[in-house]
Amino acid sequence: MITPLIFIISLVLLLRRFKSKRSRKIIGFLYASFAVWFVYSFLTYGSYTLQPGQSVQLRVYPNTDQLEYSSELILEKKDDQKIKLSGMTVWSEQFGDVLFEVEGQKVVKIGDTENASKELPNNQQDIQVVEDGIEVTYQGEKVFDVTNNKKFTITITNVGDKPAHFKARVVDR
């Protein structure tokens, strides 16, 4: 809220200070360029295109001051290219009943109080456990629960052979 206010006040002050038509046009052009850049960066926040082998890191800052805190990774894939998520020992979709354990290299379906948990084969349709993370190939949006009690980094790597397009952001609640 403060940034647009500073932007408008500085524009008014500059326009009052410079009276010539040429100066006002230059100031108007610079401010319009900044406004276009600001809107574009706001609309494309969290959009990534990774070439094969490239990676991006996202920081997770949990709100441990709160009694109930949670963090989630919202990953919206625009294509079906294979990308790898690493940085956690256990991955799961939010409100899902399947855990992807990286250290144990297994997939576990959580049971209810009557049924025990059971191990599933590592050939799930969209998500597979690999040596240091999980590989995802789905197209669309999934929300992963990345709640932890300390700060850490999630690394997203394109392990496919074509560019991967996706939106990713971490939400700390």
Side-chain angles (χ1 to χ4, degrees):
M1 180 64 190
I2 192 96
T3 304
L5 185 62
I6 292 172
F7 180 78
I8 292 169
I9 290 172
S10 65
L11 175 63
V12 169
L13 291 175
L14 279 173
L15 289 177
R16 289 186 72 197
R17 169 118 169 94
F18 295 98
K19 301 290 185 191
S20 74
K21 203 174 209 181
R22 182 174 182 225
S23 296
R24 287 177 174 233
K25 283 183 181 180
I26 292 171
I27 292 169
F29 174 74
L30 291 175
Y31 271 80
S33 300
F34 177 75
V36 167
W37 172 81
F38 184 77
V39 169
Y40 174 77
S41 63
F42 180 76
L43 292 176
T44 60
Y45 175 74
S47 294
Y48 299 96
T49 299
L50 297 180
Q51 298 300 321
Q54 281 186 327
S55 63
V56 64
Q57 293 184 340
L58 303 174
R59 294 284 299 165
V60 179
Y61 297 101
N63 294 329
T64 55
D65 317 354
Q66 299 177 5
L67 184 59
E68 293 182 25
Y69 60 91
S70 68
S71 298
E72 54 194 41
L73 170 68
I74 302 171
L75 184 64
E76 180 183 351
K77 293 189 70 242
K78 307 288 186 187
D79 52 29
D80 58 353
Q81 291 300 310
K82 189 183 295 188
I83 60 174
K84 180 174 70 171
L85 306 176
S86 56
M88 292 192 60
T89 56
V90 178
W91 290 88
S92 67
E93 288 184 58
Q94 190 172 34
F95 309 118
D97 59 351
V98 178
L99 300 176
F100 300 91
E101 296 181 14
V102 177
E103 288 180 349
Q105 292 291 303
K106 59 184 175 179
V107 180
V108 177
K109 181 174 174 103
I110 301 171
D112 54 15
T113 55
E114 298 171 3
N115 302 325
S117 300
K118 66 177 184 178
E119 191 169 336
L120 300 174
N122 189 15
N123 61 358
Q124 301 303 305
Q125 184 176 358
D126 297 332
I127 304 173
Q128 288 83 32
V129 178
V130 293
E131 65 276 351
D132 60 343
I134 58 173
E135 287 183 353
V136 295
T137 56
Y138 67 87
Q139 187 171 358
E141 181 178 304
K142 289 191 188 244
V143 179
F144 294 94
D145 181 17
V146 293
T147 303
N148 201 335
N149 61 354
K150 59 184 175 192
K151 299 176 186 176
F152 68 99
T153 303
I154 295 173
T155 304
I156 303 174
T157 307
N158 181 2
V159 292
D161 56 352
K162 295 180 184 172
H165 308 284
F166 60 90
K167 279 186 157 184
R169 62 188 171 119
V170 173
V171 178
D172 298 307
R173 298 184 197 275

